[in-house]
Amino acid sequence: MSLEVVEMMIDNESMFNDTFLNNVSTSSLQDPPASLIGFILKTCAVILIIFTAIFGNILIILSVYRHHKLRITTNYFIVSLACADILVALFAMSFNATNTLYGRWVFNQGVCDFWNSCDVLFSTASIMHLCCISVDRYYAIVKPFEYPNKITSKSVACMLATVWLVSGLLSFIPIFSGWYTTNEHLLKRSINPDVCEFVVNKPYAVVSSCISFWVPCIIMISAYIRIYFEATKQEKMICKSSNIIPQYPRNSTDTTAQMVVHTNHHRNSHVEDDHNTPTKRNIVKMKREHKAAKTLGIIMGAFILCWLPFFIWYLTVSLCDSCHTPEIVVDILFWIGYFNSSLNPVIYAYFNTDFREAMKGTIMSYFCCCVASCRCNGCKKHYNQNNNIHFNCTYRSTQDIGLVENKCSRGNI
């Protein structure tokens, strides 16, 4: 009896080896070139997105830290958004990249829950930050006289705390408690430990998608529509007022009111130039508002293009039991959404002059000087000039645009 068992085992092993060798030989003739090229392309795309998200957002934070004029209330949203996008890259994109490139889950189920929680937490926080920025721009452009009373340091801190608290309550508690999924999926996880799938039940799908995307999206669209109509109305006012602005010689003083920024605790009053008429100040303000409206439109468009396909799929698959999606499509939808975290610093830096100049100075100071050390004299000169500046600054009230912008003339001390 034992001899027969041994013979059956030998026969089965030989059959398995023949089948394995045939599969290997067939795949070696067909699959490796295509699979290798696909693997290289996926790896390059994933690394590029992760690197761009981390590097770009760190550059935003360093720029605000190094340049005092960027430390204003509105930029608190930008810094917090940059932190959320960095965490998306570190804890969401990295685990997803591992799962995508290896084709299976190489960690335990506890790490799987941690990844899913971080994915929901930081992605939701990133989207809700964009919503807060749209609200800030709405008050700055549509209701400028209410802006200083509505958007204060305390209100901004409360908004940011709410964003992170809601995102945390939506992610870690329901996922680690098992409330987010079905009993069938929990059983499947115990049988297949090398699989990490985010399968949710219908109540969680509706609640999480509304909080993470649909409600912020509606708020952003509504805010931009109001901003657009206000900008259109102000543009007509500019056209009517442009013919009555007095013209002055080029060498005359036609700039806005100048003030010297002191380091003491009280704010000195500023004296307005006689040639600076209210009509001209209003036109300058309206032009700045139009630029802010265009920037917000680009941000909102990028946000919708990146996240709308994912959340349509997420809600449809969660509510439709018979709907199935190819794995490659799911990966593409995830990474298109992640790509928004890489776009945010590019958009804000490109369309904001202060950020663009600050980021250039930060790159010159940290990277050029670190690589070239003592031999980088030009970089050191640039760094010293940035740290020895006499500011003769133009002050623009937060009632104008919701930001404190400084146009500064530089002179070495």
Side-chain angles (χ1 to χ4, degrees):
M1 184 67 181
S2 60
L3 182 61
E4 293 177 356
V5 172
V6 172
E7 291 177 352
M8 291 177 61
M9 292 177 62
I10 294 174
D11 293 338
N12 290 335
E13 184 176 359
S14 62
M15 291 175 60
F16 174 78
N17 290 333
D18 292 339
T19 304
F20 177 75
L21 291 174
N22 290 332
N23 290 336
V24 170
S25 61
T26 303
S27 61
S28 64
L29 294 175
Q30 299 176 355
D31 293 341
S35 62
L36 182 60
I37 294 174
F39 179 82
I40 293 174
L41 292 176
K42 286 193 297 184
T43 303
C44 292
V46 165
I47 292 176
L48 179 62
I49 294 175
I50 294 177
F51 175 79
T52 305
I54 296 176
F55 175 76
N57 287 288
I58 288 178
L59 198 56
I60 290 289
I61 296 173
L62 290 177
S63 299
V64 174
Y65 174 77
R66 293 183 67 251
H67 295 78
H68 183 74
K69 68 176 181 178
L70 293 179
R71 299 179 193 175
I72 54 178
T73 304
T74 302
N75 286 344
Y76 294 164
F77 293 114
I78 306 297
V79 172
S80 186
L81 172 64
C83 292
D85 288 335
I86 291 173
L87 293 173
V88 168
L90 292 176
F91 295 103
M93 296 186 194
S94 57
F95 284 114
N96 198 322
T98 303
N99 194 36
T100 301
L101 297 177
Y102 278 93
R104 63 185 182 88
W105 184 248
V106 297
F107 306 100
N108 57 40
Q109 291 300 315
V111 179
C112 178
D113 288 336
F114 176 76
W115 168 41
N116 290 328
S117 300
C118 291
D119 197 349
V120 175
L121 169 62
F122 301 130
S123 299
T124 302
S126 178
I127 295 172
M128 294 181 71
H129 277 92
L130 295 176
C131 178
C132 291
I133 293 171
S134 68
V135 173
D136 175 85
R137 292 293 86 212
Y138 167 80
Y139 275 102
I141 297 173
V142 179
K143 298 181 179 181
F145 295 104
E146 298 182 19
Y147 183 88
N149 297 325
K150 295 287 186 179
I151 308 299
T152 62
S153 298
K154 184 180 293 186
S155 63
V156 170
C158 291
M159 292 171 69
L160 293 178
T162 302
V163 166
W164 288 104
L165 180 62
V166 171
S167 301
L169 292 176
L170 187 66
S171 56
F172 275 87
I173 294 178
I175 290 177
F176 274 93
S177 301
W179 302 341
Y180 77 102
T181 190
T182 60
N183 294 328
E184 292 80 6
H185 179 64
L186 293 175
L187 180 61
K188 181 181 178 180
R189 284 178 36 153
S190 61
I191 299 176
N192 302 296
D194 60 340
V195 175
C196 181
E197 297 177 345
F198 190 60
V199 179
V200 300
N201 52 38
K202 295 179 180 179
Y204 184 83
V206 174
V207 173
S208 62
S209 62
C210 287
I211 295 177
S212 298
F213 179 78
W214 298 111
V215 173
C217 185
I218 292 173
I219 294 174
M220 291 179 66
I221 293 175
S222 302
Y224 184 72
I225 290 174
R226 291 292 305 274
I227 291 172
Y228 175 79
F229 283 115
E230 182 68 20
T232 303
K233 182 176 68 174
Q234 292 178 359
E235 187 175 0
K236 295 179 181 179
M237 296 175 62
I238 292 176
C239 294
K240 293 179 181 179
S241 303
S242 60
N243 295 327
I244 62 174
I245 300 177
Q247 300 295 327
Y248 303 101
R250 183 177 297 272
N251 58 358
S252 65
T253 306
D254 61 348
T255 57
T256 52
Q258 300 290 321
M259 67 171 290
V260 177
V261 179
H262 297 279
T263 57
N264 54 4
H265 296 286
H266 68 278
R267 177 180 296 171
N268 293 342
S269 60
H270 59 280
V271 181
E272 295 186 355
D273 188 84
D274 293 334
H275 293 168
N276 187 18
T277 62
T279 302
K280 190 169 184 178
R281 289 201 305 272
N282 290 337
I283 290 176
V284 173
K285 181 196 72 172
M286 292 175 188
K287 289 181 179 179
R288 293 198 304 267
E289 290 170 349
H290 293 168
K291 185 177 180 180
K294 292 179 181 178
T295 303
L296 180 59
I298 295 172
I299 294 168
M300 187 186 68
F303 159 75
I304 292 176
L305 287 177
C306 289
W307 283 112
L308 182 61
F310 171 81
F311 278 97
I312 291 177
W313 164 82
Y314 172 72
L315 196 59
T316 302
V317 172
S318 300
L319 299 180
C320 177
D321 297 331
S322 60
C323 298
H324 299 283
T325 309
E327 185 177 353
I328 183 64
V329 176
V330 177
D331 292 336
I332 292 174
L333 292 176
F334 265 100
W335 283 99
I336 290 176
Y338 291 152
F339 186 60
N340 185 245
S341 296
S342 301
L343 282 180
N344 288 335
V346 176
I347 294 174
Y348 283 104
Y350 184 80
F351 290 97
N352 189 301
T353 304
D354 290 335
F355 265 110
R356 184 163 62 250
E357 294 300 323
M359 292 171 72
K360 288 180 181 178
T362 302
I363 293 175
M364 290 291 292
S365 298
Y366 281 94
F367 291 90
C368 178
C369 291
C370 288
V371 173
S373 186
C374 296
R375 291 177 295 177
C376 187
N377 296 326
C379 186
K380 285 186 174 182
K381 182 179 179 181
H382 178 83
Y383 180 80
N384 292 332
Q385 287 178 351
N386 283 343
N387 286 284
N388 295 281
I389 295 175
H390 173 71
F391 290 99
N392 187 15
C393 300
T394 298
Y395 177 79
R396 293 178 180 174
S397 171
T398 52
Q399 284 186 338
D400 288 341
I401 56 171
L403 293 171
V404 178
E405 296 182 352
N406 294 316
K407 286 189 174 180
C408 305
S409 60
R410 294 185 178 183
N412 293 337
I413 295 177

